[in-house]
Amino acid sequence: MLIEYDGTRFAGYQRQAPERGPTVQGAIETAIGQVSHETLTVEAAGRTDAGVHAAGQVVSFRSAARLDARTWARALNAHLPRDVAARAAAPVVEEFHARYSARARSYRYQVVCDAAPAPLRERFALRVARALDVAAMGAAAALLLGEHDFGAFGSSPRDERGAVRGHCVRTMLAARCQREVSGVPGGATSDGAGGDVVVFDFTANAFLTGMVRRLVGTLLLVGDGRLTVGGFAAILAARAKTHPGAAVAARGLCLVGVTYPAGMVNWEKSE
């Protein structure tokens, strides 16, 4: 399933103790149960944190229900809450796994540069009250390309028992910062105001926990002149978490897409 969701009210994608709040995984599994009368576990390409959105999350599951792909999507949408939707579906081979079959994931973070509050835009973006040096941030982001130890910007995921799994080396396939006319719901206001929208796009084979949000927080220091491009390079090389770049708010982050080997997934859009 190709899943889209507004993560505002969710305590993250991954199912957890009910007292911690609703989760996207919980909503999807409940909807599947209502359609197929089965208790299933769905696997996701990315376990997004609380408040993070998705336009291209992918989940996989096995069911005994004899429904075609489009019927699955329509049926789930009849039971999913309004802030979660099955955008498309596809039958896949038995060995397919939403997470382990993925070759890359893409995230976008949006920043609105506007001195005045912008309630509609701020639901899906971070607002800063000042202009930013987009060229400098773009130069710093380009340093992320290739294979690096990204330990300065995130943590290796932990298993169910809380033990760290693996290392912090990842391969960044794309890293860009650019200005857009309008990139968040609401666009410009009726009088033409609205400020710049700056977007950060990252694609990697995998991401560390909290990596994108802390990358953006550190790049914003470059954008407002508090950190040089060379200083950013030094932070990356040092691989230490003790630096001034803090994680930015979750609301500006969106999982926009997941890449699989050619021909592995052929989506049938929901109607």
Side-chain angles (χ1 to χ4, degrees):
M1 290 284 178
L2 180 66
I3 302 292
E4 179 177 321
Y5 51 87
D6 174 352
T8 303
R9 72 178 181 93
F10 291 103
Y13 169 80
Q14 191 170 9
R15 187 190 337 102
Q16 50 196 290
E19 60 269 19
R20 300 190 63 182
T23 64
V24 179
Q25 182 180 10
I28 295 171
E29 290 176 349
T30 296
I32 290 173
Q34 292 170 322
V35 171
S36 68
H37 307 291
E38 300 169 285
T39 300
L40 300 178
T41 296
V42 297
E43 304 292 345
R47 298 173 180 176
T48 54
D49 292 336
V52 175
H53 316 292
Q57 174 72 280
V58 176
V59 303
S60 58
F61 60 91
R62 293 175 174 83
S63 170
R66 298 298 184 94
L67 303 176
D68 61 39
R70 290 185 181 179
T71 302
W72 261 116
R74 288 198 303 270
L76 286 190
N77 284 332
H79 294 283
L80 286 167
R82 293 182 64 185
D83 43 9
V84 183
R87 299 287 298 169
V92 288
V93 295
E94 182 69 18
E95 58 269 25
F96 178 86
H97 190 287
R99 178 183 175 193
Y100 298 122
S101 299
R103 293 294 177 263
R105 293 122 175 115
S106 298
Y107 284 87
R108 167 168 282 202
Y109 196 93
Q110 300 186 120
V111 176
V112 175
C113 302
D114 197 335
L120 294 180
R121 295 153 69 83
E122 289 179 55
R123 185 176 179 87
F124 300 100
L126 173 71
R127 181 178 65 87
V128 299
R130 58 198 176 278
L132 297 169
D133 186 338
V134 175
M137 292 189 295
L143 299 173
L144 301 170
L145 294 172
E147 184 179 271
H148 299 280
D149 184 323
F150 287 97
F153 302 106
S155 302
S156 185
R158 296 176 179 270
D159 63 21
E160 289 75 8
R161 298 179 180 179
V164 175
R165 293 186 289 107
H167 50 71
C168 293
V169 175
R170 301 291 187 270
T171 301
M172 188 71 75
L173 304 171
R176 292 182 294 271
C177 174
Q178 58 191 2
R179 181 178 287 108
E180 290 194 350
V181 175
S182 178
V184 292
T189 58
S190 58
D191 60 1
D196 287 340
V197 176
V198 177
V199 297
F200 299 85
D201 289 305
F202 303 98
T203 298
N205 64 335
F207 288 86
L208 301 173
T209 301
M211 178 173 158
V212 176
R213 290 168 59 196
R214 199 164 189 203
L215 275 174
V216 173
T218 310
L219 287 168
L220 289 177
L221 296 180
V222 176
D224 66 12
R226 287 184 285 165
L227 182 68
T228 65
V229 175
F232 182 87
I235 290 172
L236 174 63
R239 299 174 294 178
K241 292 179 175 57
T242 53
H243 61 85
V248 287
R251 65 180 178 273
L253 183 58
C254 184
L255 171 60
V256 295
V258 184
T259 302
Y260 294 96
M264 180 171 276
V265 181
N266 297 304
W267 296 113
E268 295 186 26
K269 295 294 181 71
S270 175
E271 294 177 349

